[in-house]
Amino acid sequence: MARRLPLLHRVLSQPDSARDLDGADWSRLVRQARTNGLLGQVLNLLAECRNLDTAPDAVKRLLSAERHLADHRKRALLWEADELRRTLAPLGVEPVLIKGGAYIAEGMPHAHFRHFGDIDVLVPPEVLAAVEKRLLTAGWAMSNRDPYDQYYYRTWMHELPPLRHIKRGTHLDLHHTITPRTSRYATYPEKLFAQARQATSHASLSVLSTEDQFLHGAAHLFSEGEAGNALRDLFDLRALLRHIDDLAVLRDRAEELRLQSPLALALRHIERNFPDPSVSKLADAAGRWAHGAQRLDVLYDRVFVIGCERAETGNPSLGKATEFVLNCRGHWLRMPVALLARHLTRKALKQLFSREPSTETVRN
Amino acid sequence: MKLASLGLPGLTSTLSSEGIVLCTGRFRYRIRSSAATIAPALAIAYADFELGSSSDWFDFDIRIEPSAGPRALLKPEVGLAVDGASPFEPLPADQAFALLEWGMNWCVTSTAHDAVNCHSAVLERHGNALLLPAPPGSGKSTLTAALAMTGWRLMSDEISRIDLDGASVECICRPVSLKNASIGLIGERFPEAVFTPPIRDTVKGTVAHLRPPGDAVRDTRGATPAWVVIPQFAAGAPVEMTPITDAELVAELAGNCFNLSGVGEPAFRALCHLADRAKGYRLRFGSLDDALLAINRLSEQ
């Protein structure tokens, strides 16, 4: 049962016990944290318990770099969210911030250092068309005009194709629910809106209830087809969980939203990756509401350490097979088989005739 | 230990096993590669650089390896990985060293937001720093190479690292990247200049790297910003050095800044502080001799 966890997992679980790291340990930790998008978070945790004092100067400078990034990003995000609120106010629509933006608006300490590329908001399905129209007249444009992608998003997904502001370049994902319509984790958007509330630190902005934020995060993480941000997203869930006093409320809500399965997976893997002897209620809860979650250990025990293994070896192609399985699971959860077959055939044919670069091309 | 002391066979085998740790100013890069062109180019461009140990702290972990996959059968390619992630598309195998150099720049510009990183060369004389911020194609690297070969200490060719109080510029000396006609121009003018073999058909045309001359590698001290000169090469144009206002200087540096949105407001304040100290000029030139003369006259005022 006991897996040997990577250094990053151990330091994130118990930063106060990470004393006496040597030069090689710091190298390893920074690399693992960078690959998983958790550098700011882990260095800040270490600084809080004074375990960064003995680090090489370069590591201390990395924390100040992450602080600059985070301060600027936070300011930009809150500005953009407020702008969005003002843009939609004439329609009487209050956009609900979800994912990273919500954590920032809630003033959650872990979220301060979180990297994110776009803003995600949720609006009721019945006003979606009006909101889209309003945004298109306020400087937002579709960043993807491919007719099939447009059709695919609008017919089957939980969000519109990504929008991009023509002047500021900001990316916006406009959601009308939190999981694809055809997903096995499909839920009831009206129930989410019923419990949306003001954000803790920024009362002019709206967020989902803490339980719903957790369940959304879990449903998203455990239907995701890529491993890149998996550990970061799991760490987010662990931080959110600390703001939930009563696990029974969380469980009841999961039942109501039909998200018991992602809840069980989330609790199980938080416990498996960030074990904390002081918190045993989680292990108990995870055990009691297992929902067969343990059957996926083979897959997810790998998924949450792939980033660290890539950092360790410097080899980005490591774990491709695991990612392939993860991708298959993601698609399988997203839509029924017949529809999936149709969609994948379309995608494959399209890819055959146009090869688009997936990563940045060298400049400077 | 200096890189040259490994010898080419030693360097080649170290690169394909545990790798070397290359120290450039405050940044340490672990580099591993089995690509054929990497060791010979490193041996030329970085001969005088100190090596660190891979069992101690290093900032970036770089691997440059031949790509696998079906495309590699048609045309050999190399891929760059930094800390186990691939930030760029692979390039043709013969461009491996250029990819490494660009990757090393990217490492700094994408992570080191503890200081303002501008697209600018930095040279030093008597403790005073000269910054040459400019977009590609402005003659910046040619001018930098010529200044470095004529008594100025090379502190950086691509990135100026300005502290947040705007009072000092870091030394992160690395080879100068020369393109196209500049390679021959500098080579003919300075027969003692040492270059890596030219790489043809890159996105920037032909590229070769100049080994930092003289004391540049040994002396890693920072310097106080004194002059900011914005170069603009224009064939046949007479030399013209025009003072600019502080506001223009800040705007020019900001426009050439890699991490304005990485550092945020402190970056803007740092550039304003720098403008209080340094004088700004626009330099239009059609001949390298005239440009060198104008810059040297500036430093003697």
Side-chain angles (χ1 to χ4, degrees):
Chain A
M1 160 82 196
R3 291 188 295 155
R4 172 96 182 136
L5 288 169
L7 180 60
L8 175 64
H9 295 54
R10 283 180 276 145
V11 174
L12 284 171
S13 323
Q14 291 169 291
D16 45 347
S17 64
R19 273 175 233 110
D20 310 317
L21 298 179
D22 65 15
D25 294 331
W26 284 112
S27 272
R28 175 172 297 129
L29 181 64
V30 165
R31 240 149 291 296
Q32 291 182 351
R34 228 180 231 158
T35 310
N36 285 291
L38 285 162
L39 185 59
Q41 289 94 321
V42 74
L43 293 182
N44 186 54
L45 285 173
L46 287 169
E48 279 175 353
C49 55
R50 304 202 56 81
N51 278 343
L52 203 63
D53 297 356
T54 53
D57 279 349
V59 178
K60 293 176 191 157
R61 278 198 301 271
L62 285 177
L63 177 58
S64 77
E66 289 294 320
R67 284 191 171 135
H68 290 142
L69 259 179
D71 289 346
H72 185 70
R73 212 169 27 221
K74 179 177 175 180
R75 177 191 278 201
L77 176 109
L78 291 172
W79 188 90
E80 200 70 70
D82 208 49
E83 183 66 18
L84 203 59
R85 182 185 62 79
R86 275 197 299 271
T87 308
L88 299 183
L91 299 179
V93 174
E94 272 187 46
V96 177
L97 279 172
I98 51 175
K99 302 191 201 172
Y103 307 153
I104 296 269
E106 291 270 83
M108 295 200 175
H110 82 283
H112 185 70
F113 291 96
R114 197 177 182 276
H115 292 225
F116 47 82
D118 45 22
I119 300 183
D120 297 273
V121 295
L122 184 64
V123 298
E126 60 274 16
V127 299
L128 185 67
V131 166
E132 182 186 0
K133 200 167 149 194
R134 173 92 190 133
L135 289 176
L136 292 177
T137 56
W140 295 89
M142 288 291 158
S143 54
N144 176 345
R145 288 163 195 269
D146 181 271
Y148 178 70
D149 287 346
Q150 287 282 339
Y151 162 82
Y152 168 75
Y153 269 96
R154 288 169 192 276
T155 316
W156 309 113
M157 297 305 284
H158 51 302
E159 57 187 329
L160 290 186
L163 290 155
R164 186 168 179 274
H165 196 276
I166 48 173
K167 287 228 171 89
R168 301 191 292 275
T170 321
H171 290 270
L172 173 69
D173 285 342
L174 188 61
H175 301 245
H176 51 84
T177 180
I178 54 172
T179 43
R181 297 179 191 195
T182 50
S183 165
R184 284 170 184 69
Y185 295 162
T187 185
Y188 313 97
E190 64 281 4
K191 292 188 178 173
L192 301 170
F193 285 103
Q195 292 197 5
R197 56 170 172 79
Q198 294 180 331
T200 318
S201 309
H202 297 273
S204 64
L205 302 173
S206 303
V207 295
L208 296 176
S209 73
T210 313
E211 286 79 11
D212 289 0
Q213 288 182 43
F214 185 93
L215 293 169
H216 173 211
H220 186 265
L221 170 56
F222 290 97
S223 55
E224 174 65 47
E226 282 165 25
N229 288 325
L231 189 71
R232 182 204 65 182
D233 292 350
L234 190 67
F235 185 68
D236 282 343
L237 290 178
R238 175 182 184 261
L240 268 177
L241 200 57
R242 301 193 163 190
H243 295 265
I244 296 173
D245 302 322
D246 192 350
L247 281 179
V249 173
L250 182 62
R251 185 199 49 200
D252 293 347
R253 186 64 173 166
E255 223 157 82
E256 201 178 335
L257 296 176
R258 291 195 310 178
L259 295 173
Q260 300 100 314
S261 162
L263 171 64
L265 281 164
L267 294 182
R268 182 170 183 85
H269 288 281
I270 290 172
E271 175 64 22
R272 287 174 80 77
N273 289 280
F274 308 115
D276 186 345
S278 64
V279 189
S280 59
K281 62 171 184 179
L282 199 56
D284 293 348
R288 267 184 284 119
W289 315 329
H291 277 274
Q294 71 282 359
R295 286 198 302 265
L296 290 169
D297 284 354
V298 182
L299 175 61
Y300 282 106
D301 279 353
R302 285 277 298 134
V303 167
F304 293 115
V305 299
I306 282 180
C308 291
E309 289 175 7
R310 287 179 182 162
E312 196 71 5
T313 53
N315 179 1
S317 353
L318 218 69
K320 285 284 186 214
T322 303
E323 258 189 326
F324 177 74
V325 177
L326 193 65
N327 203 334
C328 292
R329 177 178 145 78
H331 273 103
W332 161 254
L333 288 176
R334 215 168 296 153
M335 48 183 89
V337 179
L339 183 60
L340 179 62
R342 221 171 76 194
H343 171 61
L344 290 182
T345 313
R346 274 303 284 260
K347 287 290 249 195
L349 285 173
K350 218 178 94 191
Q351 230 168 24
L352 211 61
F353 295 109
S354 76
R355 210 186 64 195
E356 281 172 21
S358 54
T359 43
E360 206 177 332
T361 316
V362 180
R363 52 177 285 273
N364 97 49
Chain B
M1 188 175 77
K2 285 200 162 58
L3 185 136
S5 66
L6 281 179
L8 188 55
L11 179 61
T12 310
S13 73
T14 313
L15 280 171
S16 55
S17 52
E18 79 267 23
I20 59 165
V21 174
L22 195 58
C23 308
T24 74
R26 67 170 37 161
F27 297 108
R28 289 166 171 246
Y29 303 83
R30 181 189 192 187
I31 300 168
R32 285 178 282 178
S33 180
S34 57
T37 54
I38 292 285
L42 278 173
I44 294 169
Y46 288 92
D48 306 324
F49 282 70
E50 285 293 326
L51 296 183
S53 153
S54 60
S55 55
D56 203 340
W57 165 259
F58 52 91
D59 295 83
F60 308 104
D61 191 11
I62 298 182
R63 284 185 80 167
I64 292 222
E65 301 295 351
S67 310
R71 271 199 284 170
L73 293 173
L74 301 171
K75 200 169 93 184
E77 287 186 325
V78 285
L80 172 93
V82 178
D83 296 329
S86 310
F88 303 129
E89 287 283 295
L91 286 183
D94 59 342
Q95 299 185 17
F97 187 68
L99 181 61
L100 172 63
E101 281 292 316
W102 295 331
M104 289 170 79
N105 292 338
W106 179 84
C107 284
V108 174
T109 56
S110 64
T111 67
H113 309 306
D114 56 324
V116 188
N117 299 322
C118 286
H119 188 214
S120 158
V122 189
L123 297 118
E124 176 264 359
R125 189 173 248 185
H126 310 309
N128 293 318
L130 161 71
L131 275 70
L132 301 170
S138 51
K140 166 184 71 81
S141 290
T142 319
L143 207 50
T144 304
L147 288 164
M149 296 303 292
T150 54
W152 287 75
R153 174 167 65 100
L154 175 68
M155 291 173 65
S156 179
D157 167 42
E158 283 288 342
I159 307 162
S160 67
R161 298 238 321 136
I162 302 163
D163 283 11
L164 292 188
D165 54 8
S168 66
V169 187
E170 262 176 44
C171 176
I172 48 166
C173 179
R174 298 222 330 260
V176 181
S177 154
L178 290 169
K179 288 131 228 157
N180 306 317
S182 319
I183 304 168
L185 186 78
I186 297 294
E188 275 162 36
R189 197 183 174 107
F190 305 103
E192 70 278 24
V194 184
F195 292 98
T196 55
I199 303 170
R200 285 169 228 292
D201 300 322
T202 74
V203 281
K204 300 177 177 192
T206 302
V207 176
H209 288 85
L210 169 74
R211 176 196 289 180
D215 270 353
V217 179
R218 222 172 314 135
D219 189 348
T220 58
R221 285 174 300 171
T224 314
W227 313 280
V228 177
V229 174
I230 301 146
Q232 180 57 63
F233 173 78
V239 68
E240 216 178 333
M241 181 82 93
T242 325
I244 56 172
T245 62
D246 288 0
E248 266 182 287
L249 193 163
V250 171
E252 280 289 345
L253 282 173
N256 283 291
C257 193
F258 290 114
N259 65 347
L260 214 48
S261 60
V263 182
E265 193 186 320
F268 181 73
R269 272 188 266 120
L271 296 182
C272 292
H273 291 317
L274 184 140
D276 290 339
R277 279 187 186 83
K279 288 184 188 142
Y281 302 88
R282 227 174 266 288
L283 171 64
R284 204 174 136 81
F285 66 104
S287 107
L288 188 55
D289 283 311
D290 292 346
L292 290 176
L293 205 63
I295 287 179
N296 284 320
R297 202 174 296 140
L298 202 66
S299 75
E300 281 148 20
Q301 271 170 20

